[in-house]
């Protein structure tokens, strides 16, 4: 057996390790849910489907089954005032529910089964994508494996295994970066379409992705900027491949207008979740309660970490981190901030690289695994902390 394992390509071997641990994680989720709620859960596929179908997952199901509603009154798209509020599915982007709907049609299955299949597929692809990116970018297989394990086992990253958009969004994001590294520009232009249609921040993250492209072309670095070449005809023509993302986003905006009369109905709908534009720091400690206080502290820790590692990162990575933090903070709410931070892969690359150098690095992985199961408890009981 050892001879067989040793003969496997190192990259393939590490991918098998990651997929195996990902499966073990999912079994651990199910086991924990059976222990906590034995009257509701059991060791069955249907039980697991119900476990990963929580909180906002119902909105995606509604979109997949009923599509987006036609609304002609702005207030009904989304609003909130004191204790009164109204929410609509326009707050959610179409790629994830459409993916599940396609599986429902092709395989003749119900939504939860489709959601299970897509969650498995994209949770596997997301971790494979991160590992492969690190392998190409860092050129160190063992370090790349460790960073990927830190990412996989990080306390809040159970979101990558539930019926949410983290896994599918991150898959298209990281493979877009891989396409730039591999100079697969046709593939990149295709990947940008689902990227911008999965979550609102997809269109914004095209900026650091393009900066990453310029860095790989040797036109941008922390020491120099070749403005003449950046604005040269050759680079402008090659940059046209990035237009597929904005065009797809514009098409969705037009669709929103046709159904609601507003091009940015998704933004209006955020009001239903008590979100409104404000100076980012004002969103911290805005309301009482453990959830808000913890999330505010968590953001501050991440901001401090970002400042400390600023010089270690490229322009593209730093801009990706800043934009990913600013967007949710500007909404005036720190709810779900762990989910938004979970896709900021440069943070985990630096963190994983640091942890890899310490003697107790594998003990740290065990600690992260335990903490993730603890955090998953809040998801099982549908506590607001898991939103």
């Amino acid at each position: 057996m050892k001879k067989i394992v040793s003969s496997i390509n190192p990259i393939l071997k590490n991918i098998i390790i990651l997929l195996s641990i990902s499966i073990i994680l999912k079994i651990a989720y199910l086991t924990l849910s059976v222990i906590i709620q034995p009257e509701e859960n059991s060791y069955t596929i249907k039980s697991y489907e119900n476990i990963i179908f929580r909180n906002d997952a119902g909105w995606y199901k509604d979109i997949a089954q009923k599509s987006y509603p036609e609304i002609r009154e702005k207030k009904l798209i989304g609003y909130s005032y004191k204790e009164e509020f109204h929410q609509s599915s326009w707050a959610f982007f179409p790629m994830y529910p459409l993916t599940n709907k396609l599986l429902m049609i092709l395989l003749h299955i119900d939504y939860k089964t489709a959601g299970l299949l897509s969650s498995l597929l994209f949770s596997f692809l997301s971790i494979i994508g991160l590992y492969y990116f690190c392998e190409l970018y860092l050129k160190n297989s063992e370090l790349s494996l460790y960073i990927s394990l830190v990412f996989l086992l990080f306390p809040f990253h159970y979101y990558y295994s539930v019926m949410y958009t983290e896994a599918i969004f991150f898959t298209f994001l990281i493979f877009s970066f891989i396409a730039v590294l591999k100079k697969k520009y046709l593939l990149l232009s295709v990947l940008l379409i689902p990227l911008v249609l999965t979550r609102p921040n997809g269109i914004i993250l095209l900026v650091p992705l393009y900066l990453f492209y310029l860095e790989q072309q040797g036109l941008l670095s922390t020491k120099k900027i070749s403005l003449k070449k950046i604005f040269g005809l050759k680079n402008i023509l090659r940059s046209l491949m990035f237009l597929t993302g904005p065009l797809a986003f514009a098409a969705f905006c037009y669709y929103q207008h046709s159904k609601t009369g507003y091009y940015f109905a998704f933004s209006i709908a955020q009001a239903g979740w008590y979100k409104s534009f404000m100076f980012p720091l004002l969103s911290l400690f805005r309301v009482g309660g453990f959830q808000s206080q913890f999330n505010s502290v968590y953001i501050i820790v991440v901001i401090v970490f970002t400042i400390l590692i600023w010089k270690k990162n490229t322009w593209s990575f730093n801009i990706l981190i800043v934009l990913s933090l600013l967007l949710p903070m500007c909404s005036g709410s720190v709810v779900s901030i762990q989910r938004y931070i979970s896709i900021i892969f440069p943070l985990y690359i630096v963190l994983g690289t640091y942890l890899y150098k310490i003697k107790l690095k594998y003990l740290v992985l065990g600690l992260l695994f335990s903490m993730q199961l603890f955090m998953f408890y809040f998801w099982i009981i549908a506590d607001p902390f898991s939103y």
Side-chain angles (χ1 to χ4, degrees):
M1 183 66 183
K2 289 184 178 180
K3 291 183 178 179
I4 295 175
V5 173
S6 61
S7 65
I8 298 177
N9 179 285
I11 294 178
L12 179 59
K13 183 179 72 173
N14 288 340
I15 288 175
I16 292 173
I17 291 173
L18 288 170
L19 293 182
S20 299
I21 295 178
S22 182
I23 292 172
I24 291 172
L25 261 179
K26 292 166 177 54
I27 295 174
Y29 298 154
L30 179 59
T31 301
L32 183 63
S33 68
V34 172
I35 294 173
I36 294 173
Q37 298 176 334
E39 69 286 351
E40 297 180 21
N41 302 309
S42 60
Y43 290 100
T44 63
I45 296 297
K46 284 298 178 184
S47 183
Y48 185 73
E49 288 176 2
N50 291 330
I51 291 164
I52 62 175
F53 184 84
R54 291 283 194 278
N55 302 330
D56 285 343
W59 288 104
Y60 298 113
K61 180 182 178 181
D62 285 345
I63 296 171
Q65 294 181 334
K66 305 173 186 176
S67 190
Y68 290 95
E70 185 170 342
I71 300 175
R72 294 303 173 185
E73 186 178 348
K74 184 178 181 180
K75 186 178 181 180
L76 297 181
I77 297 175
Y79 79 94
S80 58
Y81 179 72
K82 294 184 179 180
E83 299 299 320
E84 184 181 358
F85 67 92
H86 178 79
Q87 301 171 334
S88 79
S89 57
W90 284 108
F92 304 91
F93 269 42
M95 190 64 207
Y96 177 65
L98 286 180
T99 299
N100 288 339
K101 184 174 183 178
L102 181 62
L103 290 174
M104 292 168 65
I105 295 172
L106 292 177
L107 303 178
H108 303 286
I109 54 179
D110 62 19
Y111 180 83
K112 287 187 178 180
T113 303
L116 171 63
L117 292 177
S118 66
S119 74
L120 290 173
L121 172 63
F122 288 106
S123 66
F124 293 155
L125 286 176
S126 61
I127 195 61
I128 290 172
L130 178 64
Y131 169 75
Y132 189 49
F133 175 83
C134 291
E135 177 74 31
L136 294 172
Y137 192 69
L138 301 175
K139 296 178 173 57
N140 185 324
S141 294
E142 292 307 309
L143 175 58
S144 299
L145 174 62
Y146 188 81
I147 290 170
S148 301
L149 288 171
V150 169
F151 184 86
L152 180 63
L153 298 174
F154 205 75
F156 299 106
H157 289 198
Y158 63 83
Y159 288 116
Y160 283 81
S161 295
V162 301
M163 296 187 196
Y164 269 16
T165 60
E166 274 62 41
I168 185 172
F169 182 79
F170 186 76
T171 294
F172 291 122
L173 178 65
I174 198 66
F175 276 97
S176 294
F177 275 86
I178 290 172
V180 172
L181 274 178
K182 298 284 287 184
K183 294 182 170 57
K184 303 293 184 180
Y185 299 130
L186 179 59
L187 174 62
L188 173 64
S189 65
V190 174
L191 290 171
L192 296 184
I193 297 173
L195 176 65
V196 302
L197 294 179
T198 302
R199 283 166 62 164
N201 54 332
I203 189 68
I204 302 298
L205 293 188
L206 293 185
V207 174
L209 181 60
Y210 183 69
L211 293 178
F212 184 72
Y213 157 76
L214 293 179
E215 290 166 352
Q216 295 305 305
Q217 292 296 313
L219 305 180
L220 174 67
S221 70
T222 54
K223 296 181 180 180
K224 66 172 184 176
I225 303 176
S226 302
L227 291 177
K228 184 177 180 179
K229 291 184 178 180
I230 290 175
F231 292 101
L233 180 61
K234 182 180 179 180
N235 185 61
I236 290 175
L237 291 175
R238 187 175 291 174
S239 299
L240 293 177
M241 63 188 169
F242 281 89
L243 286 180
T244 55
L247 288 174
F249 183 80
F252 181 54
C253 289
Y254 179 79
Y255 174 74
Q256 292 175 83
H257 183 267
S258 69
K259 300 281 283 188
T260 68
Y262 296 93
Y263 288 105
F264 299 100
F266 74 89
S267 181
I268 297 172
Q270 301 304 318
W273 278 262
Y274 291 87
K275 294 182 178 182
S276 58
F277 181 79
M278 65 174 56
F279 183 72
L281 293 180
L282 293 180
S283 65
L284 301 177
F285 306 104
R286 188 181 175 199
V287 296
F290 171 75
Q291 179 191 23
S292 177
Q293 304 304 303
F294 178 91
N295 290 356
S296 296
V297 172
Y298 186 61
I299 295 174
I300 293 173
V301 171
V302 174
I303 291 174
V304 171
F305 183 64
T306 299
I307 295 172
L308 292 176
I309 67 173
W310 186 268
K311 291 185 179 181
K312 295 179 181 293
N313 274 330
T314 60
W315 276 109
S316 59
F317 282 3
N318 282 329
I319 296 301
L320 189 152
I321 295 170
V322 170
L323 290 178
S324 297
L325 290 174
L326 281 179
L327 285 174
M329 291 177 68
C330 285
S331 71
S333 173
V334 294
V335 175
S336 304
I337 195 64
Q338 301 95 329
R339 293 171 52 200
Y340 300 124
I341 292 174
S342 73
I343 62 97
I344 312 178
F345 66 91
L347 291 175
Y348 303 98
I349 290 178
V350 176
L351 177 63
T353 301
Y354 170 76
L355 294 175
Y356 184 73
K357 298 175 183 177
I358 67 176
K359 292 183 178 179
L360 301 177
K361 58 185 176 184
Y362 294 110
L363 181 62
V364 171
L365 293 179
L367 179 61
L368 291 176
F369 172 74
S370 301
M371 292 174 65
Q372 185 175 130
L373 289 185
F374 175 72
M375 293 302 174
F376 192 69
Y377 163 78
F378 296 98
W379 174 271
I380 293 173
I381 65 173
D383 186 271
F385 187 55
S386 69
Y387 290 171

